[in-house]
Amino acid sequence: MGTIVIDRFSRLRARPARFLALVALPLLAGCSSDVLNPAGYIAQQQRDIILISTALMLLIIVPVLVLTVAFAWRYRASNKDATYDPHFDHSTALELVIWSAPLLIIIALGALTWWSTHLLDPFRPIEQASATEKVAPNAKTLRIEVVSLDWKWLFIYPDQGIATVNELALPVGVPVRFDMTSTNMMNTFDVPTLAGMIYTMPGMRSQLHAILNRPVETIGFSGNYSGAGFSDMVFKVHGVPAADFQRWVGRVKASPLPLSDSNFAKLVRPSEKVKPIYFSSVAPDLFRRVYERCVEPGKPCMSDMMRHDQAGGGGNPRDMRSGGGMPAGRDTDAIFGTKPKGALQKSPEEKGSSPHLTTPRGSEPPGATNPGSNSNRNMTFNDPRYSPASAGEPVNV
């Protein structure tokens, strides 16, 4: 009787596990396999590198796992036929096998990494449409300017004169060059079926070249946490034939909404779960002004400030180093308005006091917040022409 009860209890415990497995099957069926089944030639090569690297590492992992079980079975306590040698401590032949095999695999992985790093350089223009087909010499590259915002993606098509939010369309078989930047936070542009993950950073321009081999409907997203709306920072990707791409461009051009500077100022404001938006026109030179931080009227561009620096920045090197003589607006790096001053830029008086402040108030020099303060005398200048003893006055050397 006891055996029957135990058997029934075991069956009852097994039922929830079977039920969960059945429930999980439809969920697994919906999983995306973009990484292992890519539609872009760059992503295909990256997939091959993953598979080759995994196979090389398994050459060590599998034999180790098999030998672990084999040794445990061979030299078990009940096996009286196995050799027992408690004084064994070294075998030259065994050491050669143990160290040479991993070393050869590391060399192979290093060579593969070096080769693929140069071959798949995101700044390198596309030369192959597939493993067997080259890009036509007269093929025109599609340019797309990508801007990551809080928390959405802006795509500008400069040659077509249109822009979209959270929707990207690409013609199959056409080389594409992405120029990327960010308005505020660092993000990563990632379309797994197309190419690798590339960072977008404020004040900088990164680049990615890619090409699609077949039509595809998928998504792209950010792989770098950037705040509250990060989880929904997803955009649609349409890989379509060239004729369908032109029809899509026509639909975007039919939108009554222009991407003017004023509309961009509204777009920059943080927002979450943004549905696709079409812009039929784009303000002149908008992308360059975004990454040079000068969209707001009257704010100097980074290139203007660099030219000003090269021209002397007002004459006095010390003034130039502390920002003196720079155009108005140099001290802010926000696209529109100003950003709160960071703690490293604040003086002790501005910081106030709180339990987490470990340095006594008033013991630190104000630094960049007050370049002329006498408290800065105990700081060492990087420029050898300046001596701390002379409070920053030039010294002839």
Side-chain angles (χ1 to χ4, degrees):
M1 181 64 181
T3 304
I4 296 174
V5 171
I6 293 174
D7 183 60
R8 287 181 178 177
F9 180 72
S10 300
R11 291 180 181 178
L12 288 174
R13 285 195 308 172
R15 286 178 182 177
R18 294 173 183 173
F19 175 75
L20 291 175
L22 291 174
V23 171
L25 284 176
L27 299 177
L28 292 174
C31 290
S32 173
S33 59
D34 288 346
V35 174
L36 298 179
N37 185 31
Y41 183 52
I42 298 297
Q44 290 173 2
Q45 295 177 85
Q46 293 171 339
R47 175 206 58 191
D48 294 343
I49 292 171
I50 293 174
L51 296 177
I52 294 171
S53 301
T54 303
L56 287 173
M57 289 182 284
L58 287 176
L59 290 177
I60 289 294
I61 295 173
V62 172
V64 167
L65 294 177
V66 172
L67 290 174
T68 300
V69 176
F71 288 164
W73 177 257
R74 169 66 178 171
Y75 297 102
R76 67 192 186 279
S78 60
N79 185 9
K80 303 304 181 182
D81 296 330
T83 302
Y84 176 68
D85 186 1
H87 302 292
F88 173 81
D89 62 358
H90 178 72
S91 170
T92 302
L94 190 59
E95 291 285 347
L96 288 174
V97 173
I98 291 174
W99 290 107
S100 61
L103 181 61
L104 291 174
I105 290 177
I106 290 172
I107 292 173
L109 287 173
L112 178 65
T113 302
W114 184 91
W115 171 79
S116 60
T117 299
H118 289 79
L119 181 66
L120 301 178
D121 182 355
F123 285 85
R124 181 176 178 174
I126 295 295
E127 299 174 355
Q128 293 281 137
S130 65
T132 58
E133 182 182 358
K134 287 190 175 183
V135 174
N138 58 348
K140 185 177 180 180
T141 299
L142 175 65
R143 294 189 301 138
I144 301 177
E145 296 166 340
V146 182
V147 181
S148 60
L149 305 99
D150 297 334
W151 288 276
K152 49 199 168 284
W153 292 90
L154 172 65
F155 302 103
I156 301 173
Y157 293 74
D159 296 332
Q160 287 74 26
I162 60 173
T164 62
V165 171
N166 284 350
E167 184 168 312
L168 175 66
L170 302 172
V172 175
V174 175
V176 183
R177 190 189 83 187
F178 296 95
D179 293 313
M180 293 174 281
T181 190
S182 177
T183 57
N184 184 21
M185 299 293 293
M186 179 185 293
N187 275 287
T188 53
F189 174 82
D190 188 13
V191 184
T193 193
L194 176 67
M197 182 186 298
I198 303 295
Y199 279 93
T200 64
M201 295 166 279
M204 298 183 68
R205 180 177 60 180
S206 50
Q207 197 172 103
L208 171 67
H209 287 82
I211 189 170
L212 280 176
N213 301 116
R214 59 180 174 85
V216 66
E217 292 290 329
T218 184
I219 62 169
F221 52 87
S222 170
N224 192 80
Y225 180 74
S226 58
F230 157 77
S231 299
D232 297 303
M233 199 170 170
V234 179
F235 57 92
K236 298 179 180 179
V237 180
H238 309 295
V240 296
D244 292 343
F245 175 74
Q246 293 302 326
R247 283 192 285 270
W248 178 84
V249 171
R251 288 199 302 271
V252 178
K253 283 184 176 291
S255 170
L257 192 62
L259 185 57
S260 58
D261 286 353
S262 59
N263 283 336
F264 181 76
K266 299 175 184 177
L267 196 63
V268 166
R269 298 170 188 167
S271 56
E272 302 178 30
K273 299 181 180 179
V274 179
K275 295 182 179 179
I277 305 173
Y278 291 169
F279 297 100
S280 57
S281 62
V282 183
D285 210 18
L286 179 61
F287 178 78
R288 183 192 65 82
R289 291 186 288 128
V290 170
Y291 84 79
E292 289 205 20
R293 323 296 289 167
C294 56
V295 179
E296 187 178 3
K299 185 171 290 187
C301 296
M302 293 191 300
S303 57
D304 298 330
M305 293 190 290
M306 287 188 286
R307 283 193 295 268
H308 196 84
D309 282 336
Q310 292 174 350
N316 191 327
R318 185 185 177 195
D319 290 341
M320 180 179 65
R321 183 176 55 205
S322 62
M326 285 293 99
R330 177 188 175 113
D331 294 334
T332 176
D333 60 349
I335 290 290
F336 286 94
T338 59
K339 294 179 70 175
K341 187 185 295 184
L344 293 177
Q345 296 176 307
K346 293 182 179 180
S347 66
E349 291 76 15
E350 292 175 304
K351 293 179 183 178
S353 60
S354 64
H356 69 273
L357 291 177
T358 56
T359 305
R361 184 176 179 181
S363 64
E364 294 180 345
T369 61
N370 186 7
S373 173
N374 289 331
S375 299
N376 288 329
R377 290 188 177 187
N378 60 351
M379 299 177 68
T380 302
F381 284 102
N382 291 327
D383 194 331
R385 295 176 298 171
Y386 297 90
S387 168
S390 60
E393 293 301 322
V395 177
N396 294 325
V397 293

Coordinates of all heavy atoms in Angstrom, one line a residue, residues 277-346:
I277 N 6.8 58.1 -36.1 CA 6.4 59.5 -36.6 C 7.2 59.7 -37.9 O 8.3 59.4 -38.1 CB 6.8 60.6 -35.6 CG1 6.3 60.3 -34.2 CG2 6.4 61.9 -36.1 CD1 6.7 61.2 -33.1
Y278 N 6.4 60.3 -38.9 CA 7.0 60.6 -40.2 C 7.2 62.1 -40.3 O 6.3 62.9 -39.9 CB 6.1 60.2 -41.3 CG 6.0 58.7 -41.5 CD1 5.0 58.1 -42.3 CD2 6.9 57.8 -40.8 CE1 4.9 56.7 -42.5 CE2 6.8 56.4 -41.0 CZ 5.8 55.9 -41.8 OH 5.7 54.5 -41.9
F279 N 8.3 62.6 -40.9 CA 8.6 64.0 -41.2 C 8.9 64.1 -42.7 O 9.8 63.4 -43.2 CB 9.8 64.5 -40.4 CG 9.6 64.5 -38.9 CD1 10.1 63.4 -38.1 CD2 8.9 65.5 -38.2 CE1 9.9 63.4 -36.7 CE2 8.7 65.5 -36.9 CZ 9.2 64.4 -36.1
S280 N 8.2 65.0 -43.3 CA 8.3 65.1 -44.8 C 9.5 65.9 -45.2 O 9.9 65.9 -46.4 CB 7.0 65.7 -45.4 OG 6.7 67.0 -44.7
S281 N 10.0 66.7 -44.3 CA 11.2 67.5 -44.6 C 12.1 67.6 -43.4 O 11.6 67.4 -42.2 CB 10.8 68.9 -45.1 OG 10.1 69.6 -44.1
V282 N 13.3 68.1 -43.5 CA 14.3 68.1 -42.4 C 15.0 69.5 -42.5 O 15.3 70.0 -43.6 CB 15.3 67.0 -42.5 CG1 16.3 67.1 -41.3 CG2 14.7 65.6 -42.6
A283 N 15.1 70.1 -41.3 CA 15.8 71.4 -41.2 C 17.3 71.2 -41.8 O 17.9 70.2 -41.6 CB 15.9 71.9 -39.8
P284 N 17.8 72.3 -42.4 CA 19.1 72.2 -43.1 C 20.2 71.9 -42.1 O 20.2 72.4 -41.0 CB 19.3 73.6 -43.7 CG 17.9 74.1 -43.8 CD 17.1 73.6 -42.7
D285 N 21.0 70.9 -42.4 CA 22.3 70.6 -41.7 C 21.9 70.2 -40.2 O 22.7 70.5 -39.3 CB 23.2 71.8 -41.7 CG 24.7 71.4 -41.6 OD1 25.0 70.2 -41.8 OD2 25.5 72.3 -41.2
L286 N 20.8 69.6 -40.0 CA 20.4 69.3 -38.6 C 21.3 68.3 -37.9 O 21.7 68.5 -36.8 CB 18.9 68.8 -38.6 CG 18.3 68.4 -37.3 CD1 18.3 69.6 -36.4 CD2 17.0 67.8 -37.4
F287 N 21.6 67.2 -38.6 CA 22.5 66.2 -37.9 C 23.8 66.8 -37.5 O 24.2 66.5 -36.4 CB 22.7 65.0 -38.9 CG 23.6 63.9 -38.3 CD1 23.0 63.0 -37.4 CD2 24.9 63.8 -38.7 CE1 23.8 62.0 -36.8 CE2 25.7 62.8 -38.1 CZ 25.2 61.9 -37.2
R288 N 24.5 67.5 -38.3 CA 25.8 68.1 -37.9 C 25.6 69.0 -36.7 O 26.4 69.0 -35.8 CB 26.4 68.9 -39.1 CG 27.8 69.5 -38.8 CD 28.2 70.5 -39.8 NE 27.4 71.7 -39.8 CZ 27.5 72.7 -39.0 NH1 28.5 72.6 -38.0 NH2 26.7 73.7 -39.0
R289 N 24.5 69.8 -36.7 CA 24.3 70.7 -35.6 C 24.0 70.0 -34.3 O 24.2 70.4 -33.2 CB 23.2 71.7 -36.0 CG 23.6 72.7 -37.0 CD 22.6 73.8 -37.3 NE 21.4 73.3 -38.0 CZ 20.2 73.5 -37.6 NH1 19.9 74.1 -36.4 NH2 19.2 73.0 -38.3
V290 N 23.4 68.7 -34.5 CA 23.1 67.9 -33.3 C 24.4 67.5 -32.6 O 24.6 67.6 -31.4 CB 22.2 66.7 -33.6 CG1 22.1 65.8 -32.4 CG2 20.8 67.2 -34.0
Y291 N 25.3 66.9 -33.4 CA 26.5 66.3 -32.8 C 27.5 67.4 -32.5 O 28.4 67.2 -31.7 CB 27.1 65.2 -33.6 CG 28.0 65.5 -34.8 CD1 29.3 65.9 -34.6 CD2 27.5 65.5 -36.1 CE1 30.2 66.2 -35.6 CE2 28.4 65.8 -37.2 CZ 29.7 66.2 -36.9 OH 30.5 66.5 -38.0
E292 N 27.4 68.6 -33.1 CA 28.2 69.7 -32.7 C 27.6 70.6 -31.6 O 28.1 71.6 -31.3 CB 28.6 70.6 -33.9 CG 29.5 69.9 -34.9 CD 30.3 70.9 -35.7 OE1 30.4 72.0 -35.3 OE2 30.8 70.5 -36.8
R293 N 26.4 70.1 -31.1 CA 25.8 70.7 -29.9 C 25.4 72.2 -30.2 O 25.6 73.1 -29.3 CB 26.7 70.7 -28.7 CG 27.5 69.4 -28.6 CD 26.7 68.2 -28.4 NE 26.0 68.1 -27.1 CZ 25.1 67.3 -26.8 NH1 24.6 66.5 -27.7 NH2 24.5 67.3 -25.6
C294 N 24.8 72.5 -31.3 CA 24.5 73.9 -31.6 C 23.2 74.0 -32.4 O 23.1 74.9 -33.3 CB 25.6 74.6 -32.4 SG 26.1 73.7 -34.0
V295 N 22.2 73.2 -32.0 CA 20.9 73.3 -32.6 C 20.2 74.6 -32.2 O 19.5 75.3 -32.9 CB 20.0 72.1 -32.3 CG1 18.7 72.2 -33.0 CG2 20.8 70.8 -32.8
E296 N 20.3 74.9 -30.9 CA 19.7 76.1 -30.3 C 20.2 77.3 -30.9 O 21.4 77.5 -31.0 CB 19.8 76.1 -28.8 CG 19.1 77.2 -28.1 CD 19.2 77.1 -26.6 OE1 20.0 76.3 -26.1 OE2 18.6 78.0 -25.9
P297 N 19.4 78.3 -31.4 CA 19.9 79.5 -32.0 C 20.8 80.3 -31.1 O 20.5 80.4 -29.9 CB 18.6 80.3 -32.2 CG 17.5 79.3 -32.3 CD 17.9 78.2 -31.4
G298 N 21.9 80.7 -31.7 CA 22.9 81.5 -30.9 C 23.9 80.7 -30.2 O 24.9 81.3 -29.6
K299 N 23.8 79.4 -30.1 CA 24.8 78.6 -29.4 C 25.9 78.2 -30.4 O 25.6 77.7 -31.5 CB 24.1 77.3 -28.9 CG 25.0 76.4 -28.0 CD 24.3 75.3 -27.4 CE 23.4 75.9 -26.3 NZ 22.8 74.8 -25.5
P300 N 27.2 78.4 -30.0 CA 28.3 78.1 -30.9 C 28.5 76.6 -31.1 O 28.3 75.8 -30.2 CB 29.5 78.8 -30.2 CG 29.1 78.7 -28.8 CD 27.6 78.9 -28.7
C301 N 28.9 76.3 -32.4 CA 29.2 74.9 -32.7 C 30.6 74.5 -32.2 O 31.4 75.4 -32.0 CB 29.1 74.6 -34.2 SG 27.4 74.8 -34.8
M302 N 30.8 73.2 -32.0 CA 32.1 72.8 -31.5 C 33.2 73.2 -32.5 O 34.3 73.5 -32.1 CB 32.2 71.3 -31.3 CG 31.3 70.8 -30.2 SD 31.5 69.1 -29.7 CE 31.1 68.3 -31.2
S303 N 32.9 73.1 -33.8 CA 33.9 73.5 -34.8 C 34.3 75.0 -34.7 O 35.4 75.4 -34.9 CB 33.4 73.2 -36.2 OG 32.2 73.8 -36.5
D304 N 33.3 75.8 -34.4 CA 33.5 77.2 -34.2 C 34.4 77.5 -33.0 O 35.3 78.3 -33.1 CB 32.2 78.0 -34.0 CG 31.3 77.9 -35.2 OD1 31.8 77.8 -36.3 OD2 30.0 77.9 -35.0
M305 N 34.2 76.7 -31.9 CA 35.0 76.9 -30.7 C 36.4 76.4 -31.0 O 37.4 77.0 -30.5 CB 34.4 76.1 -29.6 CG 33.1 76.7 -29.1 SD 32.4 76.1 -27.6 CE 32.0 74.4 -28.1
M306 N 36.6 75.3 -31.8 CA 37.9 74.8 -32.1 C 38.7 75.9 -32.9 O 39.9 76.1 -32.7 CB 37.9 73.5 -32.8 CG 37.5 72.3 -31.8 SD 37.6 70.7 -32.6 CE 36.2 70.7 -33.6
R307 N 38.0 76.5 -33.9 CA 38.7 77.5 -34.7 C 39.0 78.7 -33.8 O 40.1 79.3 -34.0 CB 37.7 78.0 -35.8 CG 37.7 77.0 -37.0 CD 37.0 77.6 -38.2 NE 35.6 77.9 -37.9 CZ 34.6 77.0 -38.2 NH1 34.9 75.9 -38.7 NH2 33.4 77.4 -38.0
H308 N 38.2 79.0 -32.8 CA 38.5 80.1 -31.9 C 39.7 79.8 -31.0 O 40.5 80.6 -30.8 CB 37.2 80.3 -31.0 CG 37.3 81.7 -30.3 ND1 36.8 82.8 -30.9 CD2 37.7 82.0 -29.1 CE1 37.0 83.8 -30.0 NE2 37.5 83.3 -28.9
D309 N 39.8 78.5 -30.6 CA 40.9 78.1 -29.8 C 42.2 78.2 -30.6 O 43.2 78.6 -30.2 CB 40.8 76.6 -29.4 CG 39.8 76.5 -28.2 OD1 39.7 77.5 -27.4 OD2 39.3 75.4 -28.0
Q310 N 42.1 77.7 -31.9 CA 43.3 77.8 -32.8 C 43.8 79.2 -33.0 O 44.9 79.5 -33.2 CB 43.0 77.1 -34.1 CG 42.9 75.6 -34.0 CD 42.4 75.0 -35.3 OE1 42.1 75.6 -36.2 NE2 42.5 73.6 -35.3
A311 N 42.8 80.2 -33.0 CA 43.1 81.6 -33.2 C 43.6 82.2 -32.0 O 44.0 83.4 -32.0 CB 41.9 82.3 -33.7
G312 N 43.7 81.6 -30.9 CA 44.2 82.1 -29.7 C 43.3 82.3 -28.5 O 43.7 82.5 -27.4
G313 N 42.0 82.2 -28.8 CA 41.0 82.2 -27.7 C 41.0 83.4 -26.9 O 40.7 83.4 -25.7
G314 N 41.4 84.6 -27.5 CA 41.3 85.8 -26.7 C 42.7 86.3 -26.4 O 42.8 87.4 -25.8
G315 N 43.7 85.6 -26.6 CA 45.1 86.1 -26.4 C 45.8 85.5 -25.3 O 46.9 84.8 -25.5
N316 N 45.4 85.6 -24.1 CA 46.1 85.1 -22.9 C 45.9 83.6 -22.8 O 44.8 83.1 -22.7 CB 45.5 85.8 -21.6 CG 46.4 85.5 -20.4 OD1 47.0 84.4 -20.3 ND2 46.5 86.4 -19.5
P317 N 47.0 82.8 -22.8 CA 46.8 81.3 -22.8 C 46.1 80.9 -21.5 O 45.3 79.9 -21.6 CB 48.3 80.8 -22.8 CG 49.1 81.9 -23.4 CD 48.4 83.2 -23.0
R318 N 46.3 81.6 -20.4 CA 45.6 81.2 -19.2 C 44.1 81.4 -19.3 O 43.3 80.6 -18.9 CB 46.2 82.0 -18.0 CG 45.6 81.5 -16.7 CD 46.0 82.3 -15.5 NE 45.4 81.9 -14.3 CZ 45.3 82.6 -13.2 NH1 45.9 83.8 -13.2 NH2 44.7 82.2 -12.1
D319 N 43.7 82.5 -19.9 CA 42.3 82.8 -20.1 C 41.7 81.8 -21.0 O 40.6 81.3 -20.9 CB 42.1 84.2 -20.7 CG 42.4 85.3 -19.7 OD1 42.4 85.0 -18.5 OD2 42.7 86.4 -20.1
M320 N 42.5 81.4 -22.1 CA 42.0 80.4 -23.1 C 41.8 79.1 -22.4 O 40.8 78.4 -22.6 CB 43.0 80.2 -24.2 CG 42.5 79.2 -25.3 SD 43.7 79.1 -26.6 CE 45.1 78.4 -25.8
R321 N 42.7 78.7 -21.5 CA 42.6 77.4 -20.8 C 41.4 77.4 -19.9 O 40.7 76.3 -19.7 CB 43.8 77.1 -20.0 CG 43.8 75.7 -19.4 CD 45.1 75.4 -18.7 NE 45.5 76.5 -17.8 CZ 46.7 76.8 -17.4 NH1 47.7 76.1 -17.9 NH2 46.9 77.7 -16.5
S322 N 41.0 78.4 -19.2 CA 39.9 78.5 -18.3 C 38.6 78.8 -19.0 O 37.6 79.0 -18.3 CB 40.2 79.5 -17.2 OG 40.3 80.8 -17.8
G323 N 38.6 79.0 -20.3 CA 37.4 79.3 -21.0 C 37.2 80.7 -21.3 O 36.2 81.1 -21.9
G324 N 38.2 81.6 -20.9 CA 38.0 83.0 -21.1 C 38.1 83.4 -22.6 O 38.9 82.8 -23.3
G325 N 37.3 84.3 -23.0 CA 37.3 84.7 -24.4 C 36.5 83.8 -25.3 O 36.5 84.1 -26.5
M326 N 35.9 82.7 -24.8 CA 35.1 81.8 -25.7 C 33.8 82.4 -26.0 O 33.3 83.3 -25.3 CB 34.9 80.5 -25.0 CG 36.2 79.6 -24.9 SD 36.7 79.1 -26.6 CE 38.0 80.2 -27.0
P327 N 33.2 82.0 -27.1 CA 31.9 82.5 -27.5 C 30.8 82.2 -26.4 O 31.0 81.2 -25.7 CB 31.5 81.8 -28.8 CG 32.9 81.3 -29.3 CD 33.7 81.1 -28.1
A328 N 29.8 83.0 -26.3 CA 28.8 82.7 -25.3 C 28.1 81.4 -25.6 O 27.9 81.0 -26.7 CB 27.7 83.8 -25.4
G329 N 27.9 80.6 -24.5 CA 27.3 79.3 -24.6 C 28.2 78.2 -24.5 O 27.8 77.0 -24.6
R330 N 29.6 78.4 -24.4 CA 30.5 77.4 -24.4 C 30.4 76.5 -23.1 O 30.7 75.3 -23.2 CB 31.9 77.9 -24.4 CG 33.0 76.9 -24.3 CD 34.4 77.5 -24.2 NE 35.4 76.4 -24.0 CZ 36.4 76.1 -24.9 NH1 36.4 76.8 -26.0 NH2 37.2 75.1 -24.6
D331 N 30.0 77.0 -22.0 CA 29.9 76.3 -20.8 C 28.8 75.3 -20.7 O 28.7 74.5 -19.7 CB 29.8 77.2 -19.6 CG 31.1 78.1 -19.5 OD1 32.2 77.6 -19.9 OD2 31.0 79.2 -18.9
T332 N 27.9 75.2 -21.7 CA 26.8 74.3 -21.6 C 26.9 73.3 -22.7 O 27.3 73.7 -23.8 CB 25.4 75.0 -21.6 OG1 24.4 74.0 -21.7 CG2 25.3 75.9 -22.9
D333 N 26.6 72.0 -22.4 CA 26.7 71.0 -23.5 C 25.3 70.4 -23.8 O 25.2 69.4 -24.4 CB 27.6 69.9 -23.1 CG 27.2 69.2 -21.8 OD1 26.3 69.7 -21.1 OD2 27.7 68.2 -21.5
A334 N 24.2 71.1 -23.3 CA 22.9 70.6 -23.6 C 22.5 71.0 -25.0 O 22.9 72.0 -25.5 CB 21.9 71.1 -22.6
I335 N 21.6 70.2 -25.7 CA 21.1 70.6 -27.0 C 20.3 71.8 -26.9 O 20.4 72.8 -27.7 CB 20.3 69.4 -27.6 CG1 21.3 68.2 -28.0 CG2 19.6 69.8 -28.8 CD1 22.2 68.5 -29.1
F336 N 19.4 71.8 -26.0 CA 18.5 73.0 -25.7 C 18.6 73.3 -24.2 O 18.5 72.4 -23.4 CB 17.1 72.8 -26.1 CG 16.9 72.8 -27.6 CD1 16.9 71.6 -28.3 CD2 16.7 73.9 -28.3 CE1 16.7 71.6 -29.7 CE2 16.5 73.9 -29.7 CZ 16.5 72.8 -30.4
G337 N 18.8 74.6 -23.9 CA 18.8 75.0 -22.5 C 20.1 74.6 -21.9 O 21.2 74.5 -22.5
T338 N 20.1 74.4 -20.6 CA 21.3 74.0 -19.8 C 21.1 72.7 -19.0 O 19.9 72.4 -18.7 CB 21.7 75.1 -18.9 OG1 20.6 75.4 -17.9 CG2 22.0 76.4 -19.6
K339 N 22.1 72.0 -18.7 CA 22.0 70.9 -17.9 C 22.5 71.2 -16.5 O 23.4 72.1 -16.3 CB 22.9 69.7 -18.5 CG 22.4 69.2 -19.8 CD 23.3 68.1 -20.3 CE 23.2 66.9 -19.5 NZ 24.0 65.8 -20.1
P340 N 22.1 70.5 -15.5 CA 22.5 70.8 -14.1 C 24.0 70.6 -14.0 O 24.6 69.7 -14.6 CB 21.8 69.7 -13.3 CG 20.6 69.4 -14.1 CD 21.0 69.5 -15.5
K341 N 24.7 71.4 -13.2 CA 26.1 71.3 -13.0 C 26.5 70.1 -12.3 O 25.8 69.8 -11.2 CB 26.6 72.6 -12.3 CG 28.2 72.6 -12.2 CD 28.6 73.8 -11.4 CE 28.2 75.1 -12.1 NZ 28.7 76.3 -11.3
G342 N 27.5 69.3 -12.7 CA 27.9 68.1 -12.0 C 28.6 68.4 -10.7 O 29.1 69.5 -10.5
A343 N 28.7 67.4 -9.9 CA 29.3 67.6 -8.6 C 30.8 68.0 -8.7 O 31.3 68.7 -7.9 CB 29.1 66.4 -7.7
L344 N 31.5 67.4 -9.7 CA 32.9 67.7 -9.9 C 33.1 69.2 -10.2 O 34.2 69.7 -10.1 CB 33.5 66.8 -10.9 CG 33.5 65.3 -10.5 CD1 34.1 64.5 -11.7 CD2 34.4 65.1 -9.3
Q345 N 32.1 69.8 -10.8 CA 32.3 71.2 -11.2 C 31.8 72.2 -10.1 O 31.9 73.4 -10.3 CB 31.5 71.5 -12.4 CG 32.0 70.7 -13.6 CD 31.1 70.9 -14.9 OE1 29.9 70.7 -14.8 NE2 31.7 71.3 -16.0
K346 N 31.3 71.7 -9.0 CA 30.8 72.6 -7.9 C 31.9 72.8 -6.8 O 32.7 71.9 -6.6 CB 29.6 71.9 -7.3 CG 28.4 71.9 -8.2 CD 27.2 71.3 -7.5 CE 26.0 71.2 -8.4 NZ 24.8 70.6 -7.6

